[in-house]
Coordinates of all heavy atoms in Angstrom, one line a residue:
A23 N -20.4 -6.4 -13.9 CA -19.7 -5.1 -14.3 C -20.3 -4.6 -15.7 O -20.4 -5.4 -16.5 CB -18.3 -5.5 -14.4
L48 N -15.2 -21.3 -6.2 CA -14.0 -20.5 -6.2 C -14.1 -19.3 -5.3 O -15.2 -18.8 -5.1 CB -13.7 -20.1 -7.6 CG -13.6 -21.1 -8.6 CD1 -13.5 -20.5 -10.1 CD2 -12.4 -22.0 -8.4
A81 N 2.6 -10.6 -13.8 CA 1.8 -9.9 -12.5 C 0.3 -10.5 -12.8 O -0.3 -11.1 -11.7 CB 1.8 -8.5 -12.6
T86 N -2.4 -10.1 -9.8 CA -2.1 -8.7 -9.6 C -2.5 -7.9 -10.7 O -2.0 -8.1 -11.8 CB -0.6 -8.5 -9.3 OG1 -0.3 -9.2 -8.0 CG2 -0.1 -7.0 -9.2
D110 N 7.0 7.1 -20.6 CA 7.3 6.7 -22.0 C 7.6 5.2 -22.1 O 7.2 4.5 -23.1 CB 8.5 7.4 -22.5 CG 8.1 9.0 -22.8 OD1 7.0 9.3 -22.8 OD2 9.1 9.7 -23.0
G114 N 1.7 1.9 -23.7 CA 1.5 0.8 -24.8 C 1.9 -0.5 -24.5 O 1.8 -1.4 -25.2
I125 N 12.1 7.9 -7.4 CA 13.2 7.7 -6.6 C 14.0 9.0 -6.6 O 14.5 9.3 -7.6 CB 14.2 6.5 -7.0 CG1 13.3 5.2 -6.8 CG2 15.5 6.5 -6.2 CD1 14.1 3.9 -7.3
L175 N 2.0 17.5 1.4 CA 1.3 17.2 0.1 C 0.3 16.1 0.1 O -0.3 15.7 -0.8 CB 2.2 17.1 -1.1 CG 3.2 18.2 -1.4 CD1 4.3 17.9 -2.3 CD2 2.4 19.3 -2.1
W206 N 29.1 -13.5 0.5 CA 29.4 -12.3 1.4 C 28.5 -11.2 1.2 O 28.6 -10.2 2.0 CB 30.9 -12.1 1.0 CG 31.7 -13.1 1.7 CD1 32.1 -14.2 1.1 CD2 32.1 -13.1 3.0 NE1 32.8 -15.0 2.0 CE2 32.8 -14.4 3.2 CE3 31.9 -12.2 4.1 CZ2 33.3 -14.7 4.4 CZ3 32.5 -12.7 5.3 CH2 33.2 -13.8 5.5
E218 N 19.1 0.1 12.6 CA 19.6 1.5 12.9 C 18.9 2.5 11.9 O 18.5 3.6 12.4 CB 21.1 1.5 12.8 CG 21.7 2.9 13.2 CD 21.7 3.9 12.1 OE1 21.8 3.5 11.0 OE2 21.5 5.1 12.4
V248 N 9.5 -0.5 14.2 CA 8.3 -0.2 13.5 C 7.2 -0.3 14.6 O 6.3 0.5 14.8 CB 8.0 -0.9 12.3 CG1 6.6 -0.8 11.9 CG2 9.0 -0.5 11.2
L267 N 9.6 -14.2 4.0 CA 8.7 -15.1 4.8 C 8.9 -16.6 4.6 O 8.6 -17.5 5.4 CB 7.2 -14.9 4.3 CG 6.7 -13.4 4.7 CD1 5.4 -13.1 3.9 CD2 6.5 -13.3 6.2
D271 N 18.8 -17.6 5.3 CA 20.3 -17.5 4.9 C 21.0 -18.6 4.7 O 22.1 -18.7 4.2 CB 20.9 -16.4 5.8 CG 21.2 -17.0 7.2 OD1 20.5 -18.1 7.4 OD2 21.8 -16.5 8.0
C320 N 18.8 -12.3 -14.7 CA 19.1 -13.6 -15.0 C 20.3 -14.0 -14.4 O 21.3 -13.2 -14.3 CB 19.1 -13.8 -16.5 SG 17.5 -13.8 -17.3
L346 N 0.4 -14.0 -4.4 CA -0.9 -14.4 -3.9 C -0.9 -15.9 -3.5 O -1.2 -16.3 -2.4 CB -2.0 -14.2 -4.9 CG -3.3 -14.8 -4.5 CD1 -4.0 -14.2 -3.3 CD2 -4.4 -14.4 -5.7
V347 N -0.3 -16.7 -4.3 CA -0.2 -18.1 -4.0 C 0.7 -18.3 -2.8 O 0.4 -19.2 -2.1 CB 0.1 -19.0 -5.4 CG1 1.6 -19.0 -5.7 CG2 -0.4 -20.3 -5.2
H350 N -1.3 -17.3 0.3 CA -2.4 -18.2 0.6 C -1.8 -19.5 1.1 O -2.3 -20.0 2.1 CB -3.1 -18.5 -0.8 CG -4.3 -19.6 -0.5 ND1 -4.1 -20.9 -0.9 CD2 -5.5 -19.3 0.1 CE1 -5.3 -21.5 -0.4 NE2 -6.1 -20.6 0.0
V354 N -2.6 -18.6 4.7 CA -4.0 -19.1 5.1 C -4.0 -20.5 5.2 O -4.4 -21.0 6.4 CB -4.9 -18.8 3.9 CG1 -6.2 -19.2 4.2 CG2 -5.0 -17.2 3.6
A407 N 10.6 -23.5 -15.2 CA 10.3 -24.0 -16.4 C 8.9 -23.7 -16.7 O 8.6 -23.7 -17.9 CB 10.4 -25.6 -16.3
N412 N 10.3 -13.3 -17.0 CA 11.4 -13.4 -18.0 C 12.7 -13.5 -17.3 O 13.5 -12.6 -17.3 CB 11.3 -12.2 -18.9 CG 12.4 -12.3 -20.0 OD1 12.7 -13.5 -20.4 ND2 13.1 -11.2 -20.2
P447 N -1.1 -6.3 -24.4 CA -0.3 -5.3 -23.8 C -0.7 -3.9 -24.2 O -1.0 -3.7 -25.4 CB 1.2 -5.6 -24.4 CG 1.1 -7.0 -24.7 CD -0.4 -7.3 -25.1

Side-chain angles (χ1 to χ4, degrees):
L48 303 174
T86 288
D110 286 350
I125 297 176
L175 297 166
W206 287 91
E218 183 280 327
V248 170
L267 295 165
D271 68 349
C320 288
L346 176 57
V347 79
H350 181 260
V354 178
N412 183 37

